[in-house]
Structure formats: structure tokens, C-alpha cells
Amino acid sequence: MSKNSAQYSKQYGIGIEKFLVGKSFFVTGATGFLAKVLIEKILRAAPEVGKIFLLIKAESEEAASKRLKDEVINAELFKCLQQTYGECYQDFMLNKLVPVVGNISESNLGLEGDLAKVIANEVDVIINSAANTTFHERYDIAIDINTRGPSHVMNFAKKCKKIKVFVHMSTAYVNGNRQGRIMEKPFYMGDTIARELNFNNSKIEPKLDVEKEIELAMKSKKALENDEDARKKMKELGLERARKYGWGITYVFTKAMGEMMIDTLKENIPVVIIRPSMIQSTYKEPFAGWIQGNRILDLMILYYGRGQLNEFVGDPSGILDVVPVDMVVNATLAAIAKHGQVVIQKPEVKRSIIGSSNGELLAQKQYEILRRKEFANVYLPYGFYAGRFDCSNTLGLMQIMSEEEKKKFGFDIGSIDWKHYITNVHVPGLMRNVMKEKRGETLVGAGNKIPGGPKFYKSKL
């Protein structure tokens, strides 16, 4: 047993449920896929939790309340809580969840008035889950949300009197073009993958100045205001800047810069950064197969099922690294409890990667793109990804959990039956929640079929 494990009781573990009771949370990206699963698990596992303030982009308080009811409270994801509380469900949810009109792209998150003061006085935990996850986004939009956004949230966090931990939801792919075993190490301001790997074989590697990148994005946006090709050119600018510094796509480059901003601004606030691999549908909780929106793997399945993507470029020895969203949530709550109850003299930043490349080979096949050049261009870094994520921090977290905690908050990726998960859980869930196809129907195109039932062997997953 490690020294880290020794300080935790085998019987009581980290004390996740105990920590959650009475704590108040502030969550950004509150109507997104990951945040909703996180909110549901907190309410189900610790109904005595304090207020959960949800930052929602809306024009008014009334509009924010409507989004809360339509997109969160009335969502199918919360049906277990609906069954538990019956007629009292709406009252329970509205007593716990507080909609907050705001925008992470604005200074002070756009918060005004007494509510901002209430949040700053009450919040114990901040979870920044807001992000633009479009791979090939306009550079100005991606940098505004993924880079400037985290700095705005951190600046607000420094006004919170009771804050115990700041959690930033990132991605394992911020590691860019790193290869081999990728350790869980931080990004410091100015770090670049290109300089690390010496990609251009030059003594003078490109140096990254995040503030200048933000300035470049904003100036380029203004310069192209009257250009009919502005959208295309801003997308191309993002890819150009990302690849210059050693990242394959705009999304992960701007997320990496967001981590740098957090590290620079954090001062005395304990920070936990969660870096999941590709997040997919729920494995078990609150029920199997729930998903919202198209994820990375899903677009491949969708285009394949329509006959628009018969083959895909990829390394046959590579790993398609995915993780169920409920395991990401469980790992996040365990990390929050561990780092939120420790008095830290010197601020620390802990990073946890949760993904399948550390254990299971999920699915590979050598492909060639026959259609959709842009699709291939953007997804190419994933098809040939040569890195294997080290998960030491995540595994260490599991070691200090009690057996009861492992049952309630488990995130052991090695326990997953991948064939069962993909064929019997994920694909039917994708069709039910995203493709809006009834179980048993098929998507047909160019001879390819994705059945609504449990058999899905066409692509040899």
C-alpha cells in the first residue's frame, strides 16, 4: 500500500458521500452532456447536498428557468429521481437547482446583483464544464470559450470565500501529438508540444504566447467582418495555429491554453483537472445507454450507417480510446472529495486521465476515406493517435476508495466488457437518444446497416 493510501481507512475510504452533504456547487456548461450526468449523480448519491448553482446562457431569468426545466429537470436522464420523489420531484429539484443567467465568455461571467454575492459567499466547489467541443471551430469562437472562458471562471473563483476546490473538465487529447506513454503532467504558460518533440528540427522552436493568440483571434475576426469567406478562413487559422505548436486540431489546442490560464491565475485555490478520453454513453448509471448529442465515435457510426462513410483512415495497431460518461462523473466526484477536504498550504494542481488505452484495446481497423475530405482532415489525428495515456493518478484514487465507495462511485475501466458495451448499450442508446430511431429499425445506405438490436458486427468493433 502506498503512503497516499495509508492515510485513508479501508472501511471509510475517501468519504465521498460525507463530503458532498451540505456542500454548495457552482457548475458551468450546466445543460451539457457531462454536466447533466454529474448533477444527476450528486442529487441521487447525496440528496442532502446544498444548493447547486447552474450557469445558463439565457436572455433573462425567466428564459434560464425555462431551460432548466426543459433541458434538465424534465430530461429522461433524471427518471430515477422522478420515480424516487414522485409528486415531490419538481419541488425537490427546484429547491436544489438554482438557474443563474451568465456566460463564461464575459468578464465576471456576466453575473450581476445580489445573486453573484450569494454564490461567492456560499459556494464550496466550482466545476467548469463549459466548452466548445467542435474539432474544427472558428479560432475566435474556440479561443473565447475554451481559453478565455476558464480564466473568467477562475477569476470568479478567487472571489468565493468558502471555495475548497476548483475542477476543470478538460480532455486527454490536450496532449496533442505526444507519442508513447503520456504522463499526467501539467501545462505551464508557454508550453508547446512542437518544442517538446522538436518537430521542425530547428534550434529555434515556436514559442507560444497565449495572450498574443487571443489578440490574433480577435483581430482576425474584426479584419474579416465583411469577408464572405470569414468562417472558412477563421477555421483555417485555428488549424494552422494548432498544428504550428504541436496540436492536431483547434479544439484541443484551445483547451490546452485554457489549462495554462488556470495554472497561471489559480493563486491559492486547489485545482483538479480531469482529462477524460472520448466520452460516450452511460455504462450503468443512472441507466445504461443514455447519451446527448453526437460524440466523436458516434459521427463515424452515423455516417457509416447512412452509407456515407464506408471506410476510415486509421492505424490498425491504434486504440480508439473511449470512456463511459458515468465513470468520468464518478472519478470526478472522488477527486473532488479527496482534494476538497484537504487543507493545502501550497496550492496544487492534480490532473487525472480517465480512459481505456491503459488497459483495453477497443476497436481498430485500417481504413481509407472515400468521401468527406474535411471529415477525414479533422479526424485524422485520432485515427493515427500514437499516444497511450498513463492513468496513475486515477488508479491511485481507486486504491484509496472503500469497497462500498467502489460500488457506488466505481470507475474501473478494466471491468468493462467492451463488446457488450458497444453492441448492446452504446449503439442502441445512440439510436434511441440521438438518431431517434426505434429499436429494431435500421439505418440503410450503400449496403451498410446498423441494427437497433444487440448485433453490430459490420464494422468489426
Side-chain angles (χ1 to χ4, degrees):
M1 180 181 291
S2 68
K3 291 182 180 180
N4 189 41
S5 303
Q7 62 181 305
Y8 291 90
S9 164
K10 287 186 177 180
Q11 181 179 357
Y12 298 107
I14 298 172
I16 301 173
E17 289 178 288
K18 182 179 179 181
F19 176 82
L20 294 175
V21 171
K23 298 298 186 300
S24 290
F25 287 73
F26 179 66
V27 182
T28 71
T31 59
F33 173 50
L34 175 58
K36 283 161 74 167
V37 179
L38 178 68
I39 293 164
E40 194 279 339
K41 181 59 184 273
I42 292 173
L43 292 174
R44 184 162 44 85
E48 294 179 358
V49 69
K51 299 288 186 182
I52 304 179
F53 298 94
L54 306 180
L55 190 71
I56 297 175
K57 188 175 181 180
E59 295 182 357
S60 64
E61 292 181 7
E62 183 180 353
S65 296
K66 186 177 188 305
R67 285 196 68 189
L68 173 65
K69 290 182 179 180
D70 292 346
E71 300 178 41
V72 179
I73 295 176
N74 294 334
E76 182 194 20
L77 174 68
F78 293 84
K79 68 180 184 181
C80 292
L81 285 170
Q82 293 173 12
Q83 294 169 359
T84 299
Y85 291 96
E87 294 181 357
C88 299
Y89 172 71
Q90 292 281 335
D91 290 340
F92 170 76
M93 296 293 279
L94 292 173
N95 183 53
K96 294 294 181 181
L97 305 181
V98 181
V100 179
V101 178
N103 188 336
I104 67 162
S105 296
E106 299 178 19
S107 59
N108 202 40
L109 308 178
L111 301 181
E112 299 177 354
D114 294 337
L115 184 56
K117 294 179 181 178
V118 170
I119 296 170
N121 288 332
E122 291 189 13
V123 163
D124 299 285
V125 179
I126 291 180
I127 301 174
N128 181 38
S129 183
N132 183 299
T133 59
T134 302
F135 284 5
H136 191 191
E137 183 58 272
R138 287 178 55 124
Y139 195 37
D140 57 317
I141 294 175
I143 216 166
D144 199 34
I145 298 173
N146 297 338
T147 304
R148 297 177 68 195
S151 68
H152 294 152
V153 181
M154 177 54 78
N155 283 330
F156 178 75
K158 289 189 286 189
K159 299 177 183 178
C160 297
K161 299 177 180 179
K162 294 170 52 184
I163 189 165
K164 295 174 175 60
V165 62
F166 180 102
V167 181
H168 178 66
M169 306 305 299
S170 188
T171 170
Y173 291 95
V174 292
N175 287 291
N177 296 330
R178 286 171 175 159
Q179 300 178 8
R181 187 177 183 182
I182 300 173
M183 305 305 292
E184 297 168 302
K185 61 182 182 179
F187 279 110
Y188 298 111
M189 187 59 74
D191 283 351
T192 71
I193 305 298
R195 194 188 320 167
E196 180 181 313
L197 300 180
N198 194 24
F199 270 1
N200 63 3
N201 296 315
S202 170
K203 293 181 180 179
I204 303 176
E205 299 293 345
K207 294 183 179 180
L208 175 62
D209 185 322
V210 177
E211 291 296 340
K212 286 186 177 179
E213 291 301 312
I214 294 172
E215 183 180 349
L216 172 64
M218 298 307 123
K219 283 186 175 180
S220 299
K221 174 186 177 181
K222 186 175 182 179
L224 293 170
E225 278 181 343
N226 300 317
D227 192 321
E228 60 181 16
D229 291 326
R231 183 170 178 268
K232 178 183 178 183
K233 289 178 180 178
M234 289 302 296
K235 284 187 172 186
E236 290 173 348
L237 176 63
L239 280 177
E240 175 192 325
R241 304 304 290 179
R243 289 169 180 173
K244 175 180 179 178
Y245 294 112
W247 283 269
I249 55 177
T250 310
Y251 164 55
V252 296
F253 175 46
T254 54
K255 287 291 285 185
M257 289 194 289
E259 288 194 20
M260 295 177 198
M261 295 294 279
I262 288 172
D263 181 75
T264 300
L265 296 169
K266 67 180 184 296
E267 295 182 358
N268 295 321
I269 296 178
V271 174
V272 172
I273 293 180
I274 305 293
R275 291 176 177 168
S277 58
M278 293 182 278
I279 304 177
Q280 298 296 315
S281 59
T282 55
Y283 183 54
K284 290 182 179 179
E285 294 185 84
F287 51 89
W290 187 83
I291 191 169
Q292 174 178 296
N294 286 318
R295 320 314 297 173
I296 297 170
L297 177 63
D298 306 332
L299 288 174
M300 300 178 193
I301 295 174
L302 176 62
Y303 284 128
Y304 177 82
R306 289 176 174 172
Q308 296 172 314
L309 182 68
N310 295 329
E311 297 178 318
F312 190 81
V313 175
D315 181 358
S317 63
I319 291 178
L320 187 60
D321 197 314
V322 304
V323 57
V325 63
D326 46 335
M327 289 196 172
V328 176
V329 163
N330 286 343
T332 300
L333 293 176
I336 287 172
K338 179 181 184 294
H339 298 286
Q341 61 186 313
V342 178
V343 177
I344 300 173
Q345 300 301 322
K346 181 180 179 181
E348 67 170 358
V349 178
K350 292 296 291 183
R351 289 159 178 81
S352 293
I353 291 179
I354 179 166
S356 56
S357 69
N358 197 50
E360 296 291 327
L361 191 64
L362 175 60
Q364 323 88 11
K365 186 179 179 182
Q366 187 169 16
Y367 290 120
E368 290 181 352
I369 289 292
L370 298 181
R371 299 181 183 184
R372 298 186 174 272
K373 183 178 179 181
E374 183 178 352
F375 182 92
N377 187 42
V378 173
Y379 281 76
L380 207 60
Y382 290 88
F384 287 94
Y385 198 75
R388 299 293 179 268
F389 303 122
D390 180 90
C391 302
S392 297
N393 287 341
T394 306
L395 294 173
L397 198 58
M398 282 194 288
Q399 290 176 0
I400 61 176
M401 294 171 69
S402 68
E403 292 304 314
E404 187 64 23
E405 285 178 330
K406 289 177 182 178
K407 291 178 183 177
K408 293 183 178 180
F409 299 92
F411 48 92
D412 182 5
I413 302 298
S415 68
I416 295 176
D417 180 338
W418 288 107
K419 184 176 180 180
H420 165 74
Y421 172 65
I422 295 296
T423 61
N424 298 343
V425 175
H426 182 67
V427 172
L430 176 64
M431 297 183 71
R432 182 175 64 252
N433 294 293
V434 179
M435 296 182 186
K436 307 300 182 184
E437 295 287 330
K438 295 181 180 179
R439 191 174 182 84
E441 292 183 354
T442 59
L443 290 174
V444 183
N448 299 327
K449 298 182 180 181
I450 296 182
K455 295 181 180 179
F456 180 58
Y457 301 108
K458 190 73 177 180
S459 62
K460 297 183 180 179
L461 285 178

